[in-house]
Amino acid sequence: MEEAESKKKKAEFRLYNAMSKTVEVFEPIVPGKVGMYVCGVTAYDLSHIGHARAAVVFDVLFRYLLHLDYEVTYVRNFTDIDDKENFLAQIIKRANDLGEDPLSLSNRFCEEYVADMKNLGCLPPTHQPRVTEHMENIKNMITQIMENGCAYAVDGDVNFAVDKSPNYGQLSGRKLEDNRAGERIAVDLRKQNPADFALWKAAKEGEPSWDSPWGPGRPGWHIECSAMSAHYLSFKFDIHGGGSDLIFPHHENELAQSSAASSDSKVNFWVHNGHVTNNQLKMSKSLGNFFTIRQVIEKYHPLPVRMFLLSNHYRTPLNYTVAQIEQASETAWFIYQTLQDCEVCLSPFQERLAKSGKKPVQIAGEAQTCLTKLQEEFNDKLSDDLNTSQLVTGRKFNEALKYITLNLKPLKKQKQMSPLVHSIAAVGREVESVLRILGLLPTCSYDEVLQQLRERALVRAGLKAEDVVRLIEERTSARKNEKFGISDKIRADLAAKGIALMDEGKETVWKPCVPVVQGKWVGFVGWVRASVDSWVAFKWIYRFIGWFRRVTGLVDHSTSMKKQP
C-alpha cells in the first residue's frame, strides 16, 4: 500500500474477542510485538476443506499483522498422539486399522498437512510444535497445577478439578452446573466432579506411553496446548485462535488449567473462525461429509480455493458449494489475466520504472482516484475485524482492474515514459499489494498460473487440450460452411463444461468459465438453427441433383413438353 504505508501504524485494528463478546481495539501486550497461538490438527488423516479455512483465516491475520509492522511469533501445533477422551483416540484407532505404528502414522500426516498448507499459499508459522516433542513441558505444568491444589491423581490418571476454577465457563458462557457429564468424554465415577477432565491418562496395553511421576501414560488433550503456548509465548500472550467448535470444552479447559498453573496467565484475544458446512451441516470427519484439500485442488487451483475460503467474514459459517468454487475460479482467471496483460504492456518500460523507484511521479487523476478508493476500502475492511468478504469481488477492486484493462490499448502506443505508464504501473502495484496480504498473489508467473487454471478446467470438463483444439477447428469449419447450428452447438457444449470460446480476429481462443447450464429455450434455438442448416443443405443437394441430371442427359426434356394436338 503506497500512500497507506505511513498511516498503517496509526490505523486502529479492531478484532472480535470471544471473551468479551465484543469487537475491541487490538493492542499487543508488548508494543510492536504479537504472540499468536492457533490450535492445529490431530494428525491421523488428510485434512479437509474445513481445516483449510482455519489455516487460511489465521494466515491472513498473520500476514496483516506483519503488514502493520508487528513482529509476530506465530505458533500452530500438531496433536500427534491421542488422549483417550479425544474422539475415541483417532490416531491409535486409525493406526490399528492400517496396521501402522501410531507415531509413524501421525508423523506422516503432519507432513501431509504441511504440504497442503504450502499448496494453499499459507506462510509457515514461526513454530510448529508437536505434542510428542514437549512431554517434559506437559508433565512440569501438570505438576505445577497439582502443587497449586487444582488437580488430583487416581489410579495413574491425573484429573483437573473444575470446582477449583472459580471462573470456569467464562469463555463459553456455560455454567458449571449446566455442563453435561460425558461431553466429548466418557463418564468416570472416580472423578470428584463429572465435569473434571484429564491432564494425564494411565497407559493402556498396546498404546504409546511415556514415564511420569504418576506412572506411564500420555497427556490429556487440553493440557498439550497450555504447555506448548506457555513454552513458546509465556503464560501471557496476545491471540489464541482456533475453530469455533473449540470454545468448549477445549479452550475453556485450556483457560482453566493455564490459570491454575500460573496466576499470571492471560490471553488478550480469543479468536475463532466459523465452520465450513456441507448442505448446512458442519463439515467433519466424524460425520463423513467432508472433502479433503487434496480432492478439491485436484479439480480447482489452490488460489481460487483460497479465494472462496475468504469470501465470507471469518466468524460466519461458509457453505461449501461447487458453484461458489467455480465462480472463484472465473474471478481468479480475470484478475490474473488482467495483471498478465498489464505486465506484458509495461515490459518495455520496466527498467525505467525501476529506476524511478519512490521518486514522485505524475499520475493521472483517474488513476489516483482508483488508488485512493482501493486503499480506503482495503484498510477499512481489514482493520474492521479482518473482514475479507467481497474484497476481490468488490466494486473498488474491480474498478482498479477495469482502469488497467481500459488503458492497455492506448498504453501499447506509448514509446516514451508518460503519466499513463506510471498510472497503470501504480494501480497494478496496488492490486498486487492487496493480493499479497490476502495470500492470493501467485508465487509463479501470471502466465504459469493461467496455464494451471486451464489445466484444472480441462480436468473438470473431462477433456484434453487437443480435444478443445479439435473442437475449435470443427467449429471454424462449420462457420465457414455456414453451418451455424453445428458451430453454436460446439460452443454451447463446451460452455456447459466450463470452457468459453472467444473469437479474437481470425483466431479462436478459450478460457475457463462457470459452466453454462443450457435451458430448454437454448436447446430449442440450437435445434431450430441446426434444422435450418439441414434444410439449406437439402435444397442445395436437390438443386445439384437436378442440374446433374440435366447436364448428363438423364432427363428427357421432350417428355416434359405438352404434346401438340
Side-chain angles (χ1 to χ4, degrees):
M1 297 296 184
E2 296 186 355
E3 284 193 0
E5 290 296 321
S6 61
K7 299 178 182 179
K8 64 186 180 182
K9 289 289 286 184
K10 298 178 183 179
E12 279 190 349
F13 176 35
R14 299 175 298 279
L15 193 61
Y16 183 83
N17 189 351
M19 179 64 78
S20 66
K21 312 296 187 293
T22 59
V23 175
E24 303 175 14
V25 174
F26 178 76
E27 293 181 357
I29 295 170
V30 179
K33 296 185 177 181
V34 176
M36 179 168 71
Y37 185 94
V38 176
C39 292
V41 296
T42 299
Y44 71 98
D45 202 348
L46 292 174
S47 295
H48 58 66
I49 204 72
H51 297 134
R53 189 187 193 195
V56 168
V57 163
F58 288 102
D59 179 64
V60 172
L61 178 55
F62 181 34
R63 288 170 180 270
Y64 185 57
L65 291 168
L66 292 173
H67 169 70
L68 295 177
D69 281 345
Y70 287 113
E71 180 184 329
V72 185
T73 302
Y74 174 21
V75 184
R76 185 183 64 211
N77 78 294
F78 286 106
T79 295
D80 60 342
I81 187 61
D82 282 304
D83 159 30
K84 193 69 176 178
E85 297 181 349
N86 181 13
F87 291 111
L88 302 178
Q90 307 107 313
I91 295 174
I92 294 172
K93 182 179 183 302
R94 185 79 192 282
N96 290 339
D97 291 344
L98 296 176
E100 188 174 350
D101 175 71
L103 296 181
S104 173
L105 177 133
S106 60
N107 180 67
R108 177 160 61 88
F109 283 115
C110 285
E111 297 305 318
E112 297 287 8
Y113 178 83
V114 170
D116 284 341
M117 295 306 102
K118 184 176 180 180
N119 283 333
L120 287 171
C122 293
L123 298 174
T126 317
H127 304 286
Q128 299 188 73
R130 303 185 186 190
V131 174
T132 53
E133 298 168 349
H134 293 81
M135 286 298 169
E136 292 306 312
N137 304 102
I138 291 168
K139 288 184 284 187
N140 289 341
M141 180 171 279
I142 292 173
T143 299
Q144 187 63 51
I145 293 171
M146 293 184 75
E147 289 176 355
N148 290 341
C150 295
Y152 57 93
V154 53
D155 300 332
D157 291 350
V158 179
N159 294 324
F160 182 85
V162 294
D163 291 327
K164 300 292 185 177
S165 178
N167 296 319
Y168 191 80
Q170 62 179 325
L171 178 63
S172 63
R174 298 172 66 143
K175 295 180 180 179
L176 185 57
E177 58 269 24
D178 294 337
N179 290 339
R180 299 192 306 272
E183 182 71 41
R184 282 198 178 185
I185 59 175
V187 176
D188 188 344
L189 297 178
R190 299 173 303 162
K191 292 181 177 180
Q192 296 175 2
N193 185 313
D196 291 351
F197 55 88
L199 300 178
W200 188 262
K201 294 291 292 183
K204 304 294 189 297
E205 186 177 351
E207 296 180 354
S209 63
W210 288 260
D211 290 333
S212 79
W214 319 285
R218 62 180 187 273
W221 176 29
H222 316 297
I223 193 66
E224 301 165 357
C225 290
S226 286
M228 288 186 285
S229 62
H231 176 71
Y232 288 98
L233 302 173
S234 83
F235 279 99
K236 282 185 179 181
F237 58 96
D238 300 290
I239 299 170
H240 196 316
S244 57
D245 59 324
L246 297 182
I247 295 175
F248 187 88
H250 186 49
H251 286 172
E252 191 70 72
N253 290 351
E254 271 193 71
L255 178 59
Q257 64 200 7
S258 293
S259 298
S262 172
S263 59
D264 291 332
S265 177
K266 179 175 175 58
V267 172
N268 265 11
F269 283 79
W270 292 87
V271 181
H272 302 92
N273 65 275
H275 301 307
V276 175
T277 59
N278 185 2
N279 292 324
Q280 310 307 322
L281 291 175
K282 177 198 169 188
M283 192 178 287
S284 69
K285 291 177 180 176
S286 58
L287 293 175
N289 65 341
F290 67 93
F291 299 97
T292 66
I293 297 169
R294 302 282 173 90
Q295 287 173 322
V296 176
I297 65 175
E298 278 178 6
K299 293 185 176 182
Y300 299 95
H301 193 282
L303 285 168
V305 172
R306 184 181 175 102
M307 195 176 293
F308 159 72
L309 293 170
L310 295 173
S311 61
N312 273 19
H313 190 282
Y314 77 90
R315 286 193 284 119
T316 63
L318 178 64
N319 196 41
Y320 177 87
T321 66
V322 170
Q324 289 190 75
I325 302 279
E326 293 279 5
Q327 185 59 61
S329 296
E330 186 169 81
T331 300
W333 175 273
F334 173 64
I335 292 171
Y336 302 133
Q337 182 66 70
T338 301
L339 292 173
Q340 159 75 354
D341 294 341
C342 179
E343 192 175 78
V344 170
C345 289
L346 287 173
S347 57
F349 308 100
Q350 285 301 340
E351 187 176 341
R352 282 170 285 179
L353 284 169
K355 287 181 179 178
S356 65
K358 294 185 178 181
K359 295 178 183 177
V361 293
Q362 187 178 353
I363 293 177
E366 187 181 356
Q368 188 59 59
T369 300
C370 276
L371 288 171
T372 302
K373 288 183 176 180
L374 181 55
Q375 289 166 357
E376 287 176 350
E377 182 175 66
F378 176 84
N379 290 326
D380 288 348
K381 276 182 167 285
L382 266 291
S383 66
D384 185 14
D385 195 23
L386 205 71
N387 184 6
T388 61
S389 64
Q390 297 183 339
L391 252 180
V392 297
T393 58
R395 183 178 173 185
K396 307 305 182 207
F397 190 86
N398 278 282
E399 282 178 354
L401 293 175
K402 184 178 178 182
Y403 176 83
I404 294 172
T405 302
L406 292 177
N407 286 284
L408 287 180
K409 190 172 181 178
L411 177 63
K412 292 176 183 178
K413 300 176 183 178
Q414 300 284 317
K415 301 298 181 184
Q416 301 295 326
M417 293 293 287
S418 67
L420 180 61
V421 173
H422 287 296
S423 297
I424 292 176
V427 175
R429 286 195 300 269
E430 191 66 27
V431 168
E432 289 180 332
S433 179
V434 170
L435 294 175
R436 184 179 295 108
I437 296 165
L438 295 176
L440 294 173
L441 192 66
T443 54
C444 58
S445 70
Y446 293 124
D447 188 57
E448 288 174 300
V449 79
L450 290 170
Q451 181 56 34
Q452 291 164 7
L453 286 164
R454 283 192 192 94
E455 289 168 0
R456 296 301 206 289
L458 290 171
V459 170
R460 297 194 297 274
L463 297 169
K464 296 181 179 179
E466 52 264 35
D467 295 329
V468 178
V469 171
R470 175 178 52 79
L471 289 167
I472 288 174
E473 290 172 351
E474 290 179 8
R475 176 175 174 269
T476 301
S477 176
R479 293 176 74 196
K480 285 181 179 178
N481 293 306
E482 297 185 352
K483 295 181 179 179
F484 299 111
I486 294 173
S487 66
D488 286 353
K489 187 175 187 305
I490 291 171
R491 185 173 199 162
D493 287 348
L494 285 173
K497 294 181 178 181
I499 306 291
L501 300 185
M502 299 174 294
D503 298 316
E504 298 182 353
K506 295 181 179 180
E507 185 183 11
T508 299
V509 296
W510 71 272
K511 68 172 185 177
C513 70
V514 175
V516 178
V517 179
Q518 297 185 55
K520 293 181 179 179
W521 176 249
V522 175
F524 173 72
V525 171
W527 175 80
V528 169
R529 291 201 65 163
S531 299
V532 170
D533 289 347
S534 299
W535 170 244
V536 171
F538 173 76
K539 284 199 305 180
W540 281 105
I541 292 171
Y542 181 78
R543 289 176 181 177
F544 174 77
I545 291 173
W547 172 82
F548 182 77
R549 292 178 70 184
R550 287 194 299 274
V551 169
T552 57
L554 294 178
V555 179
D556 184 358
H557 293 282
S558 63
T559 60
S560 64
M561 298 174 64
K562 292 183 179 180
K563 293 182 179 180
Q564 298 295 324

